[in-house]
Amino acid sequence: MDGFLAADIGGTHIRVAAYPTDAIKPILHKRIATRGENTPTERLIDLLVEVSGSLDHVLGIGADVPGYIDPRIGLIYTAPNIPGWRNLPLQAILHERFRVPVALGNDANMAAYGEWEFGAGRGHQDIIYMTISTGIGGGVISDNKLVLGHHGLATEMGHVTVWPEGPMCSCGHRGHLEALASGTAIARWVSEQLALNSPSILSSSPKPTARDISQAAEKGDALAQEALGRAGKFIGQALANYLHIFNSSIIILGGGVSHSGPYLMDPLRSALERNVISPAYLDGLQIKIAELGDDAGLLGSLALIRSQST
Ligand SMILES: [Zn+2]
């Protein structure tokens, strides 16, 4: 059978799957650690070779990369979690090795693409996708096209200022959404409150995670509920700004924190309603949780390489 290879490259694991030309159920799917005795690039190539054995002919390769990347020229500027990946012409390297079309994308962009093609965004022409986990990332489909920008660096949704005097972000700037509403930021805020002796069922756990906080909120813990509400408010505020720019018909929320339920979602919706400059932005607007889970990036990479091979 002929088909495509898709790779999902993360800081911990590299996953590669082989797909037929017209379905999204993989023929073969394998996962290895990103770090090992050889370089991540060699490990990726070895895994692609191994999984390609399940296909008669490889028609193309799609891959998502966790970092700053220009997909048009296939160049990775930096990928902080992948050792040695700086100014790496990965597209050229893979093309040289496999002699088939290769398409690359930023991981959050590819997740947006996957949700658009196969998940919660099917049928929409204008999509805002935001993933909220350790960090905050995203992707935008505008008029049926993935927004890339001049160097492919567009829609870094976590790195917008929502509180100029706020806490420092992982990028070194202050008051970004990621520093206030990511899973890491939620956990940090709760730890700070616990250090001030705020009463909470979490006070017995030394370092509560965003998941612990979400579970505590469900059990009625006021501090945990406040933490999620605070994050939801900042996310809603940022989403109102994005709606003003893109006027999308659907907002798709992915990542672990998106499953925090009403304690996050109700303040998010209220902040969105409060901050839009016209109720017309909300008319028919859908807000949905992402459907593809961990496979969004893999399926987005598949959709991208298929779209470029037809
Ligand atoms: Zn930032």
Side-chain angles (χ1 to χ4, degrees):
M1 186 191 288
D2 294 350
F4 294 93
L5 295 177
D8 173 49
I9 303 162
T12 312
H13 292 111
I14 298 173
R15 297 159 68 205
V16 170
Y19 294 93
T21 52
D22 54 358
I24 60 168
K25 191 171 183 308
I27 300 163
L28 182 64
H29 175 226
K30 294 216 166 193
R31 188 178 88 159
I32 57 167
T34 306
R35 290 156 203 251
E37 290 191 351
N38 45 3
T39 68
T41 308
E42 288 164 345
R43 297 176 72 73
L44 169 66
I45 289 173
D46 287 351
L47 191 59
L48 286 164
V49 169
E50 187 185 341
V51 175
S52 71
S54 63
L55 297 170
D56 293 327
H57 293 103
V58 176
L59 303 175
I61 300 170
D64 73 70
V65 177
Y68 298 98
I69 164 174
D70 189 336
R72 293 196 193 88
I73 56 172
L75 178 72
I76 297 164
Y77 293 114
T78 56
N81 295 321
I82 315 278
W85 280 22
R86 176 174 281 272
N87 295 324
L88 180 78
L90 185 63
Q91 188 176 27
I93 291 168
L94 294 180
H95 182 257
E96 177 114 322
R97 175 65 182 77
F98 293 94
R99 296 288 166 191
V100 294
V102 175
L104 304 182
N106 160 276
D107 55 357
N109 278 350
M110 288 301 91
Y113 205 96
E115 290 290 341
W116 178 37
E117 195 76 22
F118 304 120
R122 283 190 310 272
H124 288 264
Q125 300 182 13
D126 296 280
I127 295 171
I128 291 169
Y129 168 84
M130 180 190 276
T131 172
I132 314 152
S133 54
T134 317
I136 292 182
V140 168
I141 313 294
S142 182
D143 283 338
N144 276 328
K145 206 165 178 297
L146 182 68
V147 175
L148 292 175
H150 183 45
H151 288 301
L153 305 176
T155 68
E156 281 292 341
M157 293 188 175
H159 302 286
V160 293
T161 309
V162 288
W163 182 20
E165 294 80 30
M168 193 63 84
C169 186
S170 63
C171 68
H173 294 268
R174 201 170 275 288
H176 283 178
L177 181 64
E178 179 169 303
L180 290 155
S182 64
T184 315
I186 293 168
R188 188 179 53 220
W189 186 81
V190 167
S191 290
E192 286 166 6
Q193 301 309 307
L194 291 174
L196 298 170
N197 291 323
S198 291
S200 167
I201 57 173
L202 292 163
S203 55
S204 54
S205 51
K207 259 195 171 300
T209 63
R211 181 188 288 255
D212 298 333
I213 293 161
S214 182
Q215 286 167 354
E218 273 172 40
K219 289 180 193 153
D221 187 75
L223 181 68
Q225 291 173 2
E226 188 183 347
L228 293 174
R230 187 174 175 275
K233 187 193 82 173
F234 284 119
I235 294 167
Q237 186 185 323
L239 286 170
N241 289 327
Y242 306 148
L243 280 184
H244 293 159
I245 299 171
F246 297 110
N247 187 20
S248 314
S249 57
I250 183 169
I251 293 170
I252 303 170
L253 300 173
V257 176
S258 69
H259 297 288
S260 298
Y263 299 110
L264 179 89
M265 293 303 290
D266 290 349
L268 185 156
R269 279 178 216 273
S270 308
L272 192 56
E273 286 163 17
R274 250 193 341 270
N275 284 281
V276 286
I277 53 172
S278 161
Y281 287 98
L282 306 176
D283 189 17
L285 176 74
Q286 296 179 29
I287 302 177
K288 285 192 178 175
I289 303 300
E291 292 177 0
L292 303 179
D294 289 342
D295 288 339
L298 207 53
L299 289 171
S301 303
L302 171 68
L304 182 67
I305 187 59
R306 273 185 186 162
S307 75
Q308 294 186 5
S309 302
T310 49

